[in-house]
């Protein structure tokens, strides 16, 4: 079965269009010429990435029709059948406030504070319900290609930090990156890709633009760039070359913790936030967030991280656990509890019902069923690692990061998980409030 679902354009007004998936409608941005009502398209991350010949689209849709409604029903049942725990009136009132769109900082803190199993279960199933009510069963699946593990930074937590002299380093050539991306799209059916690297100035803005243009010439795809704090002009050049997404975490919203974690770094938290704001201003779809469980991080910090992500107008929340990495100064620090991370996902969902919330690979590293648990706690986005296997194990930001399965096996596993929960790989559109 084809792995992402095309939609039918029902309305076009300037730069926006409405796309229909078996009756589910999403607002998307369109920059392709000649997109008209009635056309069939692939949309990703809220962008139309490809117009499809009608016959081909109808064939794919025919394959999906029955499965789509079955999945929708399964998702509905999963939400409906989740046991509703009895919790205190105060706790249940906060969740009610969230559903009405009025979650305040104090409420967030109270939710993050709970360790009571009944309250946790209530929080998670409420977040899953809000996800279902806001965005139905859509789930986006992005591929990630980690094209260089060279890094000029020395983040205390990161396994590819410059100071790790034991790590063999690699850099993919422009041709190699373009080829890997074209294969991901044209052979495996990905429509959204993240190109990530350490902070590696070898890739000048011109080279990054060359990579983006090379890929865009070969395939219709939404490209997210994840290359760290670079000059604002570099972001402008990447946008002009055709990239439309940026994945750039601020890592922590606490300036003191940030300076501690990035001692000796060229850039500050302010620089990083300025870059994120600039990317939003340029028109990029932005994914951002923080590391959960950094040594010294408090609940107040996590609450501020969620509120900062929202105020930055991020389309996608990317929160994942800190995993201690050998050969780093934090090798012996503890990883956070799974619940600490799940609470951050659930509260993000309640704070921003329309958001895309990523279930990160780092969360999977905390335990076998964490990907599933993340999807049942408000998450609706996943990533599949497409870095060529010969390089993958050297992109060792933390242990267990690099899944060693090949692309087909990862797709199969991901689809199996999505189907078991009633999720469909349709586009989530742009946020209604964007
Ligand atoms: N150079 C890019 C990409 C960095 S690596 C940038 O600066 O944005 C991608 C992400 O991996 C980082 O944003 C960081 O949050 C995460 N990461 C690094 N080390 C980690 C660790 N030990 N545990 C979990 N996540 C980690």
């Amino acid at each position: 079965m084809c792995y992402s679902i095309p939609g039918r354009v029902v309305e076009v007004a300037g730069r926006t269009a409405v796309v229909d998936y078996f009756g589910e409608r999403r607002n998307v941005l369109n920059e392709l010429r000649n997109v008209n009502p009635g056309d069939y398209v692939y949309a990703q991350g809220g962008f139309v990435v490809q117009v499809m010949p009608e016959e081909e689209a109808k064939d794919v849709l025919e394959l999906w029709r029955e499965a789509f409604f079955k999945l929708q029903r399964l998702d509905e049942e999963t939400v409906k059948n989740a046991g509703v725990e009895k919790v205190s009136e105060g706790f249940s009132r906060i969740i009610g406030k969230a559903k009405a769109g009025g979650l305040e900082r104090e409420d967030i803190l109270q939710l993050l504070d709970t360790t009571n199993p009944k309250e946790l279960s209530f929080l998670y199933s409420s977040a899953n319900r809000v996800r279902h009510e806001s965005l139905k069963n859509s789930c986006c699946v992005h591929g990630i290609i980690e094209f260089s593990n060279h890094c000029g930074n020395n983040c205390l937590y990161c396994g590819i930090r410059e100071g790790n002299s034991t790590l063999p380093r690699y850099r993919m050539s422009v041709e190699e990156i373009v080829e890997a991306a074209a294969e991901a799209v044209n052979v495996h059916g990905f429509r959204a890709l993240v190109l990530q690297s350490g902070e590696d100035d070898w890739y000048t803005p011109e080279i990054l633009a060359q990579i983006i243009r090379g890929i865009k010439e070969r395939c219709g795809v939404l490209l997210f760039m994840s290359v760290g704090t670079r000059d604002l002009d570099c972001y402008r050049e990447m946008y002009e070359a055709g990239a439309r997404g940026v994945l750039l975490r601020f890592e922590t919203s606490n300036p003191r913790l940030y300076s501690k974690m990035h001692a000796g770094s060229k850039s500050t938290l302010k620089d990083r936030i300025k870059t994120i704001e600039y990317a939003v201003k340029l028109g990029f779809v932005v994914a951002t967030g923080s590391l959960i469980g950094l040594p010294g991080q408090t609940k107040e910090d996590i609450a501020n991280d969620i509120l900062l992500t929202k105020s930055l107008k991020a389309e996608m929340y990317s929160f994942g656990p800190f995993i201690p990495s050998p050969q780093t100064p934090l090798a012996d620090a503890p990883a956070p509890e799974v619940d600490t991370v799940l609470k951050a996902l659930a509260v993000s969902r309640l704070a921003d019902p329309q958001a895309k919330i990523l279930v990160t690979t780092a969360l999977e590293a905390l335990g076998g069923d964490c990907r599933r648990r993340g999807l049942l706690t408000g998450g609706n986005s996943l990533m599949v690692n497409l870095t060529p296997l010969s390089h993958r194990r050297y992109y060792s930001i933390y242990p267990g990061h690099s899944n060693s399965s090949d692309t087909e096996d990862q797709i199969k596993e991901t689809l199996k998980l999505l189907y078991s929960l009633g999720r469909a790989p349709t586009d989530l559109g742009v946020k209604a409030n964007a």
Side-chain angles (χ1 to χ4, degrees):
M1 181 176 286
C2 175
Y3 134 85
S4 41
I5 307 183
R8 194 172 53 87
V9 177
V10 288
E11 214 177 294
V12 181
R15 238 189 118 211
T16 61
V18 180
V19 177
D20 176 283
Y21 298 93
F22 298 113
E24 280 296 313
R25 294 196 166 184
R26 303 267 180 258
N27 292 322
V28 298
L29 297 168
N30 172 48
E31 296 179 325
L32 304 182
R33 266 171 265 149
N34 300 331
V35 170
N36 296 302
D39 287 347
Y40 288 88
V41 295
Y42 273 123
Q44 275 290 314
F47 277 92
V48 176
V49 293
Q50 196 188 350
V51 182
M52 288 185 81
E54 186 169 341
E55 282 311 305
E56 200 183 310
K58 282 186 169 159
D59 286 349
V60 178
L61 286 174
E62 219 25 67
L63 284 174
W64 268 103
R65 185 175 304 276
E66 204 182 323
F68 183 83
F69 290 108
K70 236 196 231 164
L71 291 173
Q72 246 184 4
R73 274 196 303 277
L74 178 57
D75 181 38
E76 258 162 41
E77 278 159 25
T78 311
V79 169
K80 224 189 296 158
N81 296 340
V84 181
E85 297 285 355
K86 261 215 135 359
V87 292
S88 71
E89 218 174 280
F91 198 83
S92 123
R93 191 155 24 96
I94 296 178
I95 305 270
K97 250 172 114 175
K99 287 186 181 165
L103 209 60
E104 288 163 57
R105 191 167 180 280
E106 283 313 304
D107 305 322
I108 292 183
L109 278 172
Q110 205 169 324
L111 296 177
L112 292 175
D113 205 38
T114 187
T115 50
N116 174 323
K118 285 188 175 170
E119 288 184 349
L120 284 177
S121 161
F122 188 76
L123 169 63
Y124 298 162
S125 58
S126 302
N128 192 33
R129 187 177 295 266
V130 168
R131 184 271 314 154
H132 168 79
E133 283 164 7
S134 317
L135 291 159
K136 290 284 187 298
N137 68 335
S138 300
C139 187
C140 53
V141 184
H142 295 182
I144 181 163
I145 299 172
E146 296 143 341
F147 62 90
S148 161
N149 71 351
H150 286 261
C151 191
N153 270 348
N154 256 317
C155 309
L156 257 55
Y157 45 82
C158 186
I160 65 166
R161 67 201 302 271
E162 188 176 37
N164 182 2
S165 55
T166 62
L167 181 69
R169 304 278 172 172
Y170 71 89
R171 255 184 204 120
M172 287 168 67
S173 68
V174 173
E175 296 71 28
E176 223 183 327
I177 301 169
V178 172
E179 200 47 53
E183 185 183 321
V185 178
N186 298 333
V187 179
H188 300 294
F190 284 87
R191 308 281 160 192
L193 293 176
V194 180
L195 302 186
Q196 190 176 83
S197 67
E199 302 215 356
D200 185 359
D201 289 337
W202 184 89
Y203 297 89
T204 58
E206 294 71 32
I207 295 180
L208 291 170
Q210 200 187 336
I211 294 167
I212 295 164
R213 290 208 168 87
I215 296 172
K216 298 288 290 184
E217 271 163 27
R218 301 245 328 246
C219 41
V221 60
L222 173 65
L223 282 181
F224 277 80
M225 302 304 287
S226 182
V227 293
T229 313
R230 304 283 302 248
D231 287 347
L232 298 186
D233 279 348
C234 176
Y235 276 86
R236 192 180 36 73
E237 288 194 38
M238 293 193 291
Y239 187 87
E240 282 168 5
R244 285 295 177 267
V246 161
L247 167 58
L248 185 66
R249 284 178 168 173
F250 49 80
E251 313 292 7
T252 169
S253 60
N254 177 333
R256 256 179 303 131
L257 186 58
Y258 187 97
S259 318
K260 214 163 146 194
M261 291 295 134
H262 304 95
S265 156
K266 294 174 287 187
S267 63
T268 62
L269 176 60
K270 260 197 189 140
D271 296 326
R272 202 137 167 118
I273 292 178
K274 204 164 111 192
T275 313
I276 296 168
E277 287 170 341
Y278 186 65
V280 172
K281 200 167 127 205
L282 282 171
F284 280 111
V285 165
V286 170
T288 189
S290 71
L291 280 160
I292 304 293
L294 286 173
Q297 184 184 50
T298 63
K299 280 184 208 86
E300 284 74 14
D301 291 334
I302 298 178
N304 291 339
D305 292 351
I306 294 170
L307 290 167
L308 177 60
T309 306
K310 187 169 181 192
S311 74
L312 286 168
K313 300 202 165 44
E315 279 278 327
M316 186 185 278
Y317 285 57
S318 169
F319 285 89
F322 151 71
I323 314 268
S325 194
Q327 315 296 341
T328 67
L330 299 180
D332 296 325
E337 299 285 330
V338 175
D339 279 320
T340 309
V341 189
L342 293 179
K343 274 191 280 185
L345 295 191
V347 175
S348 300
R349 170 59 64 208
L350 295 177
D352 200 348
Q354 295 283 332
K356 291 154 191 129
I357 294 184
L358 188 64
V359 177
T360 60
T361 28
L363 179 57
E364 291 168 43
L366 284 188
D369 65 341
C370 283
R371 209 179 190 198
R372 180 184 191 88
R373 292 178 72 187
L375 285 172
L376 288 172
T377 311
N380 59 355
S381 294
L382 293 174
M383 285 218 192
V384 170
N385 194 323
L386 305 178
T387 306
L389 276 168
S390 53
H391 299 311
R392 203 180 291 172
R393 68 198 157 108
Y394 300 121
Y395 199 82
S396 49
I397 46 185
Y398 52 82
H401 166 72
S402 51
N403 187 326
S404 59
S405 311
D406 72 12
T407 305
E408 283 303 318
D409 286 347
Q410 287 188 74
I411 293 178
K412 261 190 227 145
E413 213 175 291
T414 304
L415 287 180
K416 200 169 133 199
L417 172 63
L418 292 183
Y419 295 164
S420 74
L421 295 173
R423 307 293 173 88
T426 48
D427 184 45
L428 287 151
V430 277
K431 272 203 233 165
N433 58 359

